[in-house]
DNA sequence: CATCTTGTTACGTT
DNA sequence: AAACGTAACAAGAT
């Protein structure tokens, strides 16, 4: 489930426990989620520490605790964070539970594609410090997009949008939403984007990211009507502008949906017409 | 029962 | 060396 906006929503759920100590914890240590975690240290150090801060970069989460402790969480395909009652009894898919006096902070992941990390360090852990800033952030600038696309000239633009090193936080549905608004065919090679197209793409990445944060990231509500989002899940989906059936095909190994009228394949196309502004 | 999936990574090839 | 395509990971939904 989680892309940047869902990740942000889950981060805020755990923020209900900020400033409060961890009294106890329960975990399923043998699951592959813990393959990068020094489990004995986690069990020894975390109880008694206080949750002090949290941060997201793309789809990655970092929770800081007192005693220089850091917990990193990647939610994978099916992970989520919950705040439950303090007497919460973990189920089969609840792999990590942090108990506080007034709540239990739960990490749940049925499909086990997530990943946990843990470190004790006076500065940011090295596995966090090297992560790029979110596509919604100010640090995500046009020059970075341009050079990233230049390094992936032969890749279809849809595949490039899914690479977290270049577009941190963008996932499958957001990539389709961005390409639809930028009026770009998902199979366009990165090399064929000219300077104007790079700017258009960059702006739509930022706009879709930030708009998704305002809706999904705020209260998990769907984006407003008019988004491709509402059409892409069902086979009868239609372009919100042209009402024509959407094209549906696997690109870069993922289901990809686009409008055969908005998103034309040739690189030489008129840019006179207004690019869909994305307001609303 | 077969096929699908809002994600990443290991691995082999170009 | 870097970029690229594909299989693999696991389990639930359709």
């Amino acid at each position: 489930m989680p892309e940047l906006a869902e990740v942000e929503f889950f981060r805020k759920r755990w923020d209900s426990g900020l400033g409060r100590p961890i009294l106890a914890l329960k975990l399923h240590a043998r699951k592959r989620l813990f393959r990068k975690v020094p489990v004995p240290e986690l069990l020894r150090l975390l109880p008694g520490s206080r949750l002090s801060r949290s941060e997201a970069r793309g789809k990655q989460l970092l929770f800081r605790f007192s005693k220089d402790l850091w917990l990193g969480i990647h939610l994978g395909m099916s992970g989520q964070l919950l705040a439950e009652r303090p007497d919460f009894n973990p189920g089969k898919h609840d792999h990590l539970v942090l108990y506080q006096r007034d709540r239990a902070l739960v990490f749940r992941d049925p499909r086990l594609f997530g990943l946990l990390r843990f470190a004790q360090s006076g500065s940011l852990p090295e596995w966090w410090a090297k992560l790029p800033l979110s596509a919604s952030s100010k640090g995500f600038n046009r020059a970075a997009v341009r050079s990233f696309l230049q390094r992936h000239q032969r890749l279809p633009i849809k595949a490039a949008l899914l690479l977290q090193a270049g577009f941190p936080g963008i996932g499958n549905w957001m990539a389709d939403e961005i390409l639809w608004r930028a009026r770009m065919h998902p199979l366009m090679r990165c090399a064929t984007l000219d300077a104007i197209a790079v700017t258009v793409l960059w702006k739509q990445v930022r706009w879709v990211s930030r708009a998704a944060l305002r809706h999904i990231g705020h209260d998990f509500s769907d984006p407003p009507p008019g988004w491709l989002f509402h059409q892409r899940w069902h086979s009868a989906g239609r372009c919100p502008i042209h009402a024509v059936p959407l094209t549906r095909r696997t690109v870069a190994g993922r289901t990809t949906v686009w409008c055969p009228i908005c998103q034309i394949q040739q690189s030489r196309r008129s840019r006179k017409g207004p690019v869909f502004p994305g307001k609303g």
Side-chain angles (χ1 to χ4, degrees), chain A residues 67-211:
Chain A
K67 301 196 293 187
D68 290 334
L69 303 180
W70 309 85
L71 179 68
I73 300 183
H74 184 261
L75 296 171
M77 199 88 112
S78 60
Q80 53 175 309
L81 301 184
L82 306 91
E84 297 290 319
R85 293 168 45 94
D87 60 353
F88 177 77
N89 204 11
K92 181 182 170 191
H93 303 305
D94 301 324
H95 304 291
L96 177 66
V97 185
L98 309 181
Y99 288 96
Q100 297 181 320
R101 193 193 65 183
D102 297 329
R103 69 194 67 73
L105 304 174
V106 181
F107 167 58
R108 176 176 296 167
D109 184 6
R111 287 177 66 184
L112 300 175
F113 283 3
L115 188 68
L116 296 168
R117 317 215 53 151
F118 180 74
Q120 183 170 41
S121 163
S123 55
L124 287 174
E126 97 289 341
W127 42 259
W128 180 264
K130 65 186 179 203
L131 291 174
L133 299 175
S134 294
S136 55
S137 74
K138 238 184 157 181
F140 180 79
N141 56 43
R142 186 190 177 282
V145 172
R146 188 178 141 277
S147 72
F148 186 77
L149 296 179
Q150 233 154 36
R151 262 183 291 133
H152 295 278
Q153 306 237 355
R154 287 147 55 207
L155 210 58
I157 184 62
K158 167 70 187 262
L161 281 169
L162 294 175
L163 293 176
Q164 299 303 296
F167 299 94
I170 304 302
N172 200 36
W173 77 254
M174 289 180 88
D176 285 357
E177 187 77 40
I178 289 160
L179 290 174
W180 176 67
R181 287 169 186 272
R183 307 200 333 180
M184 290 175 192
H185 195 287
L187 286 173
M188 273 186 76
R189 304 280 151 172
C190 293
T192 64
L193 271 71
D194 60 21
I196 294 172
V198 170
T199 302
V200 168
L201 184 70
W202 166 60
K203 288 190 172 173
Q204 291 299 345
V205 168
R206 285 216 343 196
W207 190 88
V208 170
S209 303
R210 292 175 177 188

Side-chain angles (χ1 to χ4, degrees), chain A residues 50-54 62-66 68-70 121-122:
Chain A
R50 188 180 301 267
L51 177 59
S52 62
R53 198 148 57 81
S54 71
L62 180 68
F63 293 90
R64 175 164 199 178
F65 298 80
S66 60
D68 290 334
L69 303 180
W70 309 85
S121 163

